[in-house]
Amino acid sequence: MLQRDISLKEITLIVGVVTACYWNSLLCGFVFDDVSAILDNKDLHPSTPLKTLFQNDFWGTPMSEERSHKSYRPLTVLTFRLNYLLSELKPMSYHLLNMVFHAVVSVVFLKVCRLFLDKKSSVISALLFAVHPIHTEAVTGVVGRAELLSSIFFLAAFLSYTKSKGPDNSIVWTPIALTVLLVAIATLCKEQGITVVGICCVYEVFVAQGYTLPLLCSTAGQFLRGKGGIPFSMLQTLIKLIVLMFSTLLLVVVRVQVIQSQLPVFTRFDNPAAVSPSPTRQLTFNYLLPVNAWLLLNPSELCCDWTMGTIPLIESFLDIRNLATFTFFIFLGALGIFSVRYPGDSSKTVLMALCLMALPFIPASNLFFPVGFVVAERVLYVPSMGFCILVAHGWQKISNKSVLKKLSWVCLSMVILTHALKTLHRNWDWESEYTLFMSALKVNKNNAKLWNNVGHALENEKNFERALKFFLQATHVQPDDIGAHMNVGRTYKNLNRTREAEESYMLAKSLMPQIIPGKKYAARIAPNHLNVYINLANLIRANESRLEEADQLYRQAISMRPDFKQAYISRGELLLKMNKPLKAKEAYLKALELDRSNADLWYNLAIVYIELKEPAEALKNFNHALELNPKHKLALFNSAILMQESGEVKLRPEARKRLLNYVNEEPQDANGYFNLGMLAMDDKKDSEAEMWMKKAIKLQADFRSALFNLALLYSQTAKELKALPVLEELLRYYPDHIKGLILKGDILMNQKKDILGAKKCFEKILEMDPSNVQGKHNLCVVYFEEKDLLKAERCLVETLALAPHEEYIQRHLSIVRDKISSLGIVEQPVLPAAETSGEGETNTIPAENERESRSESRSAEMIKTGDHKSHSKSSKQLAKNSDKEAPPKTTKDIKEIEKKRVAALKRLEEIERILNGE
């Protein structure tokens, strides 16, 4: 009688061994598929509704989209989301939970082993499973959690089913119901969880009921010949099997509905044999079975990616590798016949081990439907359980012989120790993408995808020169790899070698399936390969003369795939650049039909409405973007600016709130603080405005608008002397800043009484802009202060010629002429001007101190379309913000200037009254 319970000591041993083998996995980052499943997956974010997890695939792509991988694992994604809640995107917690799950699987597997092995052999089997190097991809790779979680419920479902046989061979329905529930949960963690039903069926027939194949054949023959009925125990077994099969069929139907009866789109690069003709396809797929078995038997050379040219196709029956396939099937067949033909514990153990090896592997075997890989080490996680049971059972048989007992222990100890050391060493390969893919290249140099991914890793480090070498090598290994040529083109572009970039993109484009006129375009291509049109168009549209050519490329991509969302987005951006906002609007509306949950699309549409001079509609679309993504940085910023510039007081609190949220998201962006300062100035909150402006300047010392407006704020609050050092700093960075020079001259004249300093300011203005009325007028006043009345008169006449309708210049000219007349100074002939009475003045006309436009602020901009990577996750990023020149003055700006002008004229009148009274 086998002992089924496991002790605390055994649990401690298993957990300790797992910890010793995988502690260094906690130091690894997010690599390879982790990037798409974790870093780029919005389903992890708390802002994403939970129901979305059950609508999207494992990578966060809606199941309805063709580009979806159709891998439906919402419960696994839910655990990623829990990790995100605890530590956001810090990888250690993700790796820690994976290690815990592997320990749990190992302990539960020990309990399963107790059903078929003795105490010692079951511990050995569990230890071998815990340390086997083939598991590093499933445990150290975060996306391998799907295997771990599915395995926990897979084994739990099987253990539950083993309790469904009651006394006198009766049926206990509670464990069966629990089994069905656990199978459903396992399937929601990963698809292969459903295969446990097959294992339960085999267990029921050959282990629980003790039937053998000869007995079943004999009973069936007698029944068919009418010489006997079906035994009651067999009928009960049949009922249990029907319940299991019906529940399985129901799960399959639901699964097919979820993927909407569509298989994922894979290319010949992902799985070359899948698109090969017969018999190449069959010979290659059958050869992959002994390849996987060899990885379990000898995990010395492991590789994270076995796609593309890793395993050359078997195109002939004479290929020597067919011998390996033949030998594998002979060995497997011999074990199978032994296990179902003969009664006894040994045959039952072998049978269950074979089932654990074979049935969970069927979905990944390519034998019934193609998958997106040739070999994947992580899918061997559950099959390795059967392998470990076989090894432990074989060891048990050998160790029972006294002659081989010591040798068997030595060999077993060596195997477990070397496997543990290999696992520990293998974990370091997953430290970064560079180390992972370089380790893979040591094993396999014929996989272009590995060369591409090393290039991507170097590209992420901005090491474009080295990245280019790896991308070029990828094109040599696989000359028809579209993605490799795209990567070469993008790297040339990053190196500012646009001619070579265009050549590479054109070569990639030439490899695309061509549309045959008059025939329906039905070629199945990887959706990311269509990005070659986007990348090429993005490159050539930098040339203003080739905008139409770029538009043609976008339209070509759309004609190939009318649901190609990114093409509409990029085309909309281009149409705006071509000053066709209405067509841009159409493009974005089409993109929104395909994806209404994309915050970036709503944001870009808002920018279009700004171009169309429809700020109300723009604000609505900004608000849509923020409903979908409350932390959308550009939407927060630009909607706040739009509210601020609307002039509506009621919108200011919300504008302030959004700017505060923005600086919380982008604490190092001076633009946010600057605009908070401008908003505070609007609200007459001078001390708050000063605080925000200082923060902006602290982050960006040469922030032109912040420096000027801080100086202006000081001058408007009677702190002119504090404004001077700020203006000095402004003019140090921007010596030609005219408004700064006017304000400085005004302060020097009126507060410091530094006539010479003020004169230099105004003269410099006129050197840069001889037609500057304000600078010219203030220089005239300087001449008046210097008692050079004739020069002041000539200066004012010249100024009046520049602005003949400015009444204050005419009035000041009259005052100067009256002063000249009263002093009896002989005048030189000057141009006539309108005559008014009055006397000279002793002050400058203050600068029209309107606030400087937000020339340094973040202007409304599109979400840009960058070059798209191939053979690795692509990351969508918001475009960087660049400083832009001040836009034309709005109606509000003009009104503000007019108010300042009226205030200046009132001050002039007061000065004139003082002068007339002298």
Side-chain angles (χ1 to χ4, degrees), residues 23-306:
W23 66 267
N24 58 337
S25 70
L26 303 180
L27 307 177
C28 297
F30 294 121
V31 297
F32 203 14
D33 290 338
D34 297 346
V35 178
S36 298
I38 308 296
L39 299 182
D40 296 341
N41 193 345
K42 293 181 180 178
D43 288 349
L44 273 63
H45 301 170
S47 58
T48 303
L50 274 175
K51 66 177 183 180
T52 306
L53 272 66
F54 295 88
Q55 298 169 346
N56 294 348
D57 66 14
F58 188 53
W59 317 95
T61 306
M63 294 292 289
S64 58
E65 294 190 12
E66 186 180 347
R67 65 189 178 95
S68 168
H69 197 273
K70 309 301 181 186
S71 46
Y72 188 64
R73 305 162 192 172
L75 296 186
T76 304
V77 179
L78 184 61
T79 65
F80 292 152
R81 184 163 173 146
L82 291 173
N83 271 120
Y84 187 91
L85 285 173
L86 292 172
S87 63
E88 294 194 348
L89 294 176
K90 295 176 182 176
M92 182 175 286
S93 74
Y94 294 80
H95 289 293
L96 177 61
L97 196 53
N98 270 26
M99 189 171 75
V100 170
F101 285 148
H102 180 54
V104 172
V105 174
S106 301
V107 170
V108 179
F109 176 60
L110 173 60
K111 192 168 181 64
V112 171
C113 291
R114 283 289 160 83
L115 298 173
F116 313 109
L117 299 170
D118 62 24
K119 183 177 181 180
K120 189 184 300 179
S121 300
S122 60
V123 171
I124 287 169
S125 179
L127 281 175
L128 184 57
F129 176 80
V131 304
H132 204 296
I134 203 72
H135 299 155
T136 50
E137 184 172 338
V139 182
T140 310
V142 178
V143 294
R145 184 176 300 177
E147 315 288 339
L148 308 176
L149 276 175
S150 180
S151 298
I152 292 172
F153 295 107
F154 179 102
L155 295 175
F158 177 69
L159 287 173
S160 175
Y161 186 80
T162 61
K163 298 174 182 177
S164 65
K165 181 181 177 181
D168 301 322
N169 209 26
S170 59
I171 301 175
V172 184
W173 289 106
T174 303
I176 295 177
L178 182 58
T179 297
V180 172
L181 175 64
L182 290 170
V183 169
I185 295 173
T187 307
L188 289 174
C189 295
K190 192 178 181 184
E191 299 78 4
Q192 71 180 29
I194 201 170
T195 60
V196 72
V197 174
I199 294 172
C200 291
C201 291
V202 173
Y203 174 84
E204 176 65 30
V205 174
F206 294 100
V207 179
Q209 301 301 329
Y211 299 134
T212 61
L213 189 61
L215 177 60
L216 290 173
C217 292
S218 174
T219 304
Q222 289 180 4
F223 176 74
L224 291 173
R225 289 193 300 269
K227 293 183 178 181
I230 300 176
F232 179 72
S233 61
M234 196 171 286
L235 283 173
Q236 285 186 310
T237 300
L238 198 57
I239 291 171
K240 292 171 75 173
L241 295 182
I242 289 172
V243 171
L244 281 177
M245 297 309 294
F246 179 78
S247 62
T248 304
L249 182 62
L250 187 63
L251 285 173
V252 170
V253 169
V254 171
R255 184 70 175 82
V256 170
Q257 289 296 317
V258 166
I259 66 172
Q260 301 182 5
S261 304
Q262 293 178 341
L263 288 174
V265 177
F266 298 119
T267 69
R268 60 190 177 87
F269 301 113
D270 298 318
N271 192 348
V275 295
S276 299
S278 299
T280 300
R281 181 169 65 254
Q282 290 78 12
L283 291 175
T284 304
F285 282 157
N286 281 286
Y287 172 67
L288 295 180
L289 299 177
V291 169
N292 281 280
W294 180 250
L295 287 174
L296 289 174
L297 190 63
N298 179 30
S300 58
E301 292 188 338
L302 299 177
C303 180
C304 64
D305 194 302
W306 294 79

Side-chain angles (χ1 to χ4, degrees), residues 34 90 186 206 395 577 586 711 783 887:
D34 297 346
K90 295 176 182 176
F206 294 100
W395 174 86
K577 185 176 182 180
E586 290 176 11
Y783 294 148

Side-chain angles (χ1 to χ4, degrees), residues 493 502 505-506 509 530-543 546-557 567 570-571 574 577 865 867:
K493 181 183 176 184
E502 184 173 349
Y505 284 142
M506 291 299 292
K509 180 172 171 285
L530 282 172
N531 286 322
V532 67
Y533 294 96
I534 306 296
N535 293 353
L536 181 57
N538 290 346
L539 179 72
I540 66 176
R541 77 184 201 186
N543 184 339
R546 301 181 71 184
L547 297 183
E548 288 293 344
E549 186 180 346
D551 189 36
Q552 176 62 32
L553 285 166
Y554 292 136
R555 284 186 279 127
Q556 187 174 353
S570 300
R571 185 165 185 251
L574 176 68
K577 185 176 182 180
T865 304
D867 283 349

Side-chain angles (χ1 to χ4, degrees), residues 384-443:
S384 69
M385 296 177 185
F387 172 78
C388 293
I389 290 176
L390 269 183
V391 171
H393 182 58
W395 174 86
Q396 180 187 352
K397 295 292 185 183
I398 295 172
S399 64
N400 284 339
K401 298 179 180 180
S402 58
V403 179
L404 300 174
K405 187 171 184 178
K406 288 185 179 179
L407 182 62
S408 67
W409 273 105
V410 170
C411 291
L412 178 69
S413 300
M414 288 294 294
V415 167
I416 291 177
L417 179 62
T418 54
H419 276 44
L421 291 174
K422 173 66 177 177
T423 297
L424 191 67
H425 180 265
R426 173 68 172 154
N427 289 334
W428 290 120
D429 291 341
W430 294 81
E431 185 177 10
S432 68
E433 293 207 321
Y434 179 77
T435 56
L436 179 64
F437 297 127
M438 284 301 291
S439 72
L441 280 176
K442 292 175 184 176
V443 176

